[in-house]
Amino acid sequence: MSEKRRDNRNRVLRKGESQRPDGRYMYKYTDNVNGQSRYVYSWKLDKNDRAPAGHQKDLSLREKERMIEADLFDHIIPHGGDMSVVDLVKKYVSLKTGVRHNTEANYAFVIRILEKEDFGKKRIDTVKLSDAKGWLIKLQKKDKRGYSSIKTVRGVVRPAFQMAVDDDLLRKNPFAFELATVVVNDSVTREAITRKQEQAFLQFIKQDKHFSKYYDGIYILFHTGMRISEFVGLTISDIDFDNRKINIDHQLQRKRNMEYIIEETKTAGGVRQIPMTNEVYDCFKRIIEKRKSPKIEPMVDGYTGFLYLDKNNMPMVALHWEKYFQHICQKYNSIYKVQLPKITPHVCRHTFCSNMAKSGMNPKTLQYIMGHSNISVTLDTYTHVDFEDAEKEIRRVSSL
């Protein structure tokens, strides 16, 4: 009968265990995927041992053995399949087909970050909960990235790690925590502007020699609640003057490579028909009357007759209008002491929704006009009320 192997403290070593000449312990085992030999090491055999001076704290060899045995029993692939975080995310992204170009841009943004970060090079099975939280905190505090950017990053990395769990590469998802409990939400909420501010803004545009050409479009944005991508995607055929309604069933986008594409509306509820007020009707009439007719009409995915064209006779996109709004606000605030807040095309949409809510429009009707897929999104606008709104509502109800 062979003599049992022992360590330098005369303790019996189990099958697969050994001690190297430098005192470090090693455990050899065979993985359950391709039958390769694997090794783990520790300066401690048992959890009650003390690690030699100068060495970092680590699990003991037998603690690691128990984790390996559990993984082998549950068919968890060892070492996370030797996959890095960035490789995991790339694999996850490669399986996402038919996504919109904005989503593709978000994927590329996250991968670029991971490729530059040491965190992206970490093997996925070595990423702990504290590592995941610490990395997101670093992105905000050290790298000065905004909450929305960090939310985008986590929105890609979290499901990628969940895929690893589902594929038996990991036991737990280290990103399964609420983001708001880790990083500070420092994003600025885009509030609706007051009716007085809206009137001042529109009046200024109407009277300005340069910006007056955008008045009709901006008035429409303030009084229909359309998304800017829906507005720029409108064609002449989408404007039904006979029935005084706007038909919305698509949106126009421009990719980073300057490719123009037509996409479905943001949500299923986005397909809708918006009634036109007399003022909105008149604005559309003027836009079409003043519209220049290029020698060759631009066509995007079969759509033609876009309302606004740029200097290259291509359809204007959201970025054009965002710049116009920015320049208008800058000019206004350079002239008047009473400053306007930041106004964007989305602020127009939010302002319209808020005004309709304050006017007592039925929430379900407002949900339809806004193209919200969920009534909770619409109801959020009803939180933008103050004492005067409450007072008026009480008086109205009391008079019934």
Side-chain angles (χ1 to χ4, degrees):
M1 185 173 180
S2 60
E3 185 179 348
K4 293 183 178 181
R5 292 177 299 109
R6 297 175 181 269
D7 67 359
N8 56 16
R9 295 170 59 179
N10 203 35
R11 293 178 295 187
V12 175
L13 297 175
R14 300 170 182 170
K15 182 180 178 181
E17 296 177 345
S18 62
Q19 188 174 29
R20 297 160 63 98
D22 61 1
R24 190 163 61 149
Y25 293 95
M26 180 181 77
Y27 176 64
K28 178 182 178 181
Y29 68 99
T30 303
D31 72 31
N32 56 10
V33 178
N34 50 26
Q36 286 185 341
S37 295
R38 300 276 186 175
Y39 304 86
V40 292
Y41 303 88
S42 177
W43 289 101
K44 302 188 302 180
L45 178 64
D46 185 79
K47 66 178 181 180
N48 295 319
D49 293 348
R50 287 186 178 182
H55 295 285
Q56 293 182 345
K57 291 183 178 181
D58 189 15
L59 293 174
S60 69
L61 189 73
R62 287 180 175 168
E63 286 176 304
K64 292 182 178 181
E65 286 178 43
R66 285 194 291 272
M67 293 171 63
I68 291 169
E69 289 169 0
D71 285 347
L72 292 175
F73 181 81
D74 291 334
H75 302 288
I76 302 296
I77 297 173
H79 301 130
D82 292 321
M83 187 177 291
S84 68
V85 174
V86 67
D87 288 337
L88 174 67
V89 171
K90 286 180 178 179
K91 180 180 180 181
Y92 168 75
V93 169
S94 71
L95 299 175
K96 306 295 286 186
T97 58
V99 298
R100 300 189 179 196
H101 91 274
N102 283 341
T103 305
E104 288 180 351
N106 286 340
Y107 290 158
F109 167 72
V110 174
I111 290 173
R112 284 197 301 271
I113 289 178
L114 287 170
E115 288 177 334
K116 298 176 182 177
E117 292 274 335
D118 290 337
F119 183 83
K121 301 177 180 66
K122 288 178 70 72
R123 206 175 65 200
I124 59 174
D125 65 307
T126 67
V127 178
K128 307 303 180 187
L129 177 65
S130 58
D131 298 325
K133 290 183 176 181
W135 180 56
L136 296 184
I137 292 171
K138 170 193 172 289
L139 291 180
Q140 184 173 60
K141 290 190 174 181
K142 185 177 179 180
D143 300 344
K144 305 301 180 182
R145 293 192 179 275
Y147 181 83
S148 60
S149 294
I150 296 172
K151 185 177 181 181
T152 297
V153 170
R154 193 256 197 162
V156 176
V157 176
R158 180 178 182 175
F161 268 90
Q162 187 56 48
M163 179 186 73
V165 173
D166 296 338
D167 286 348
D168 294 326
L169 293 171
L170 299 173
R171 279 190 173 276
K172 295 190 298 184
N173 186 342
F175 282 89
F177 54 82
E178 292 297 324
L179 183 61
T181 64
V182 177
V183 295
V184 178
N185 187 349
D186 57 1
S187 56
V188 178
T189 304
R190 291 172 291 189
E191 297 287 351
I193 60 175
T194 66
R195 293 183 187 272
K196 187 174 181 180
Q197 289 171 329
E198 177 190 331
Q199 291 168 359
F201 186 64
L202 287 172
Q203 189 63 25
F204 175 77
I205 297 169
K206 191 173 186 179
Q207 295 176 350
D208 186 87
K209 290 183 179 180
H210 176 70
F211 293 117
S212 57
K213 57 187 173 183
Y214 306 120
Y215 172 82
D216 289 325
I218 295 174
Y219 184 95
I220 290 170
L221 289 172
F222 267 116
H223 293 86
T224 60
M226 276 188 286
R227 299 178 177 92
I228 185 60
S229 57
E230 296 169 343
F231 174 70
V232 296
L234 288 177
T235 65
I236 295 174
S237 62
D238 293 318
I239 314 303
D240 185 348
F241 287 108
D242 292 336
N243 297 298
R244 291 179 174 259
K245 62 184 179 184
I246 310 162
N247 296 305
I248 299 177
D249 59 10
H250 64 275
Q251 57 178 330
L252 174 68
Q253 302 279 2
R254 188 174 68 185
K255 296 184 176 181
R256 288 177 178 267
N257 62 2
M258 304 302 286
E259 177 189 358
Y260 293 77
I261 60 171
I262 293 293
E263 289 188 337
E264 295 177 349
T265 53
K266 185 177 180 180
T267 66
V271 177
R272 62 202 188 279
Q273 296 176 326
I274 300 178
M276 288 189 277
T277 63
N278 291 335
E279 292 78 11
V280 169
Y281 177 95
D282 292 339
C283 285
F284 275 119
K285 278 287 188 182
R286 287 193 294 268
I287 289 172
I288 294 174
E289 288 171 1
K290 296 176 183 178
R291 181 183 182 273
K292 57 182 179 181
S293 299
K295 291 182 180 180
I296 301 176
E297 280 283 354
M299 180 177 289
V300 181
D301 295 337
Y303 287 77
T304 189
F306 296 96
L307 301 183
Y308 282 94
L309 304 179
D310 63 16
K311 60 183 179 181
N312 298 316
N313 288 329
M314 290 300 292
M316 286 187 183
V317 293
L319 184 61
H320 287 100
W321 290 92
E322 288 166 2
K323 289 295 183 182
Y324 300 152
F325 274 78
Q326 179 184 350
H327 295 153
I328 293 168
C329 285
Q330 288 174 345
K331 186 172 183 179
Y332 182 98
N333 288 337
S334 69
I335 297 173
Y336 300 104
K337 289 184 178 180
V338 178
Q339 302 284 283
L340 285 175
K342 182 179 180 180
I343 303 176
T344 66
H346 190 80
V347 168
C348 294
R349 174 173 163 82
H350 192 60
T351 299
F352 169 81
C353 191
S354 184
N355 286 343
M356 294 301 99
K358 290 181 178 182
S359 297
M361 180 177 284
N362 180 284
K364 291 299 291 183
T365 301
L366 184 53
Q367 178 190 359
Y368 170 80
I369 293 175
M370 296 298 295
H372 289 152
S373 59
N374 194 313
I375 188 64
S376 63
V377 179
T378 312
L379 291 175
D380 281 344
T381 65
Y382 284 79
T383 63
H384 297 287
V385 298
D386 52 26
F387 173 77
E388 291 183 0
D389 298 311
E391 186 178 40
K392 289 178 181 178
E393 187 66 9
I394 288 177
R395 287 177 180 174
R396 185 186 68 82
V397 173
S398 298
S399 63
L400 294 178

